[in-house]
Amino acid sequence: MAGMVPRCFGATSVVLAWLAFASTSARADKEVQVLGVATGAIIATTIATPILPQSDQVAFEVGRLDAIKNVQPATAFAVEFRAGQILLWRLRPFIGAGFTTDHSFYGYGGIRIGAHWGDHVVVTPSFAVGGYSRGDGKDLGGPAIIGRFGIDLEYRFDSDVRVGVGYHHMSNGKVFGQEINPGTEVVGLTLSIPVR
């Protein structure tokens, strides 16, 4: 156990340094930089812990799109399928889709890594890639390929039903030469139900 602690701190330092450097060098939004460092810290808490089994989950979210920047806010609704099966290391795949009251639509797929803090608190960073259809909503640039990066904080009941809050940033990062990259975020309440 004593040898595990230095390895954990060493791995943590490497992860945090890489995330800070990568997000800064990519000229990422401040939100993405903060999410990157927070994700590194959360992952570091899982390195020395056993991998806990998880059931497949269907998650529902209702929240606010553009809640922080508040340029063109709208109510957002989303649904996700979160696989319990591990894809690689501690990473689990998920897919989702959402829409807003401004007739915007987005779909995405990616990976999640859950950190269990005690018996009932689960903190889960995630990263996904997807597409965005503007409708009458906020212009996120074209081609409308987005990265979705965020963190969910949930309380897990003994039945494995989870309730919580989520913060997810969506932007194109000008990865495909987009002219504009205003980015946006969804802040919402979540309900996740196990499917067996």
Side-chain angles (χ1 to χ4, degrees):
M1 184 70 168
M4 190 179 299
V5 173
R7 282 196 305 255
C8 181
F9 281 115
T12 302
S13 300
V14 169
V15 169
L16 290 175
W18 180 81
L19 285 169
F21 172 76
S23 62
T24 303
S25 64
R27 301 179 197 271
D29 294 340
K30 292 289 184 201
E31 295 95 336
V32 175
Q33 293 177 19
V34 170
L35 283 169
V37 171
T39 295
I42 292 165
I43 290 172
T45 69
T46 69
I47 290 174
T49 62
I51 298 174
L52 298 178
Q54 290 188 21
S55 59
D56 292 343
Q57 302 262 323
V58 174
F60 303 93
E61 180 179 59
V62 60
R64 197 76 172 154
L65 180 114
D66 219 32
I68 306 299
K69 292 183 174 71
N70 203 33
V71 173
Q72 194 169 352
T75 303
F77 304 90
V79 63
E80 291 179 358
F81 174 76
R82 302 171 176 176
Q85 184 69 34
I86 291 176
L87 181 66
L88 176 69
W89 185 55
R90 295 170 182 263
L91 304 175
R92 292 179 164 94
F94 76 110
I95 58 170
F99 66 94
T100 75
T101 51
D102 282 342
H103 308 107
S104 300
F105 176 81
Y106 47 94
Y108 50 87
I111 52 173
R112 298 169 49 86
I113 180 167
H116 292 259
W117 294 351
D119 292 333
H120 297 286
V121 177
V122 184
V123 184
T124 311
S126 63
F127 176 75
V129 175
Y132 174 80
S133 175
R134 178 182 180 183
D136 298 322
K138 189 171 183 179
D139 185 3
L140 296 184
I145 298 169
I146 56 167
R148 181 182 178 273
F149 191 28
I151 297 176
D152 291 296
L153 172 63
E154 298 173 305
Y155 181 86
R156 186 183 67 81
F157 293 94
D158 291 338
S159 63
D160 208 19
V161 171
R162 302 176 185 190
V163 294
V165 295
Y167 175 90
H168 300 97
H169 176 82
M170 297 190 297
S171 64
N172 62 48
K174 296 187 178 178
V175 173
F176 292 98
Q178 292 95 333
E179 300 270 326
I180 65 167
N181 180 32
T184 192
E185 64 285 324
V186 175
V187 179
L189 302 175
T190 60
L191 170 66
S192 185
I193 300 169
V195 290
R196 305 193 190 272

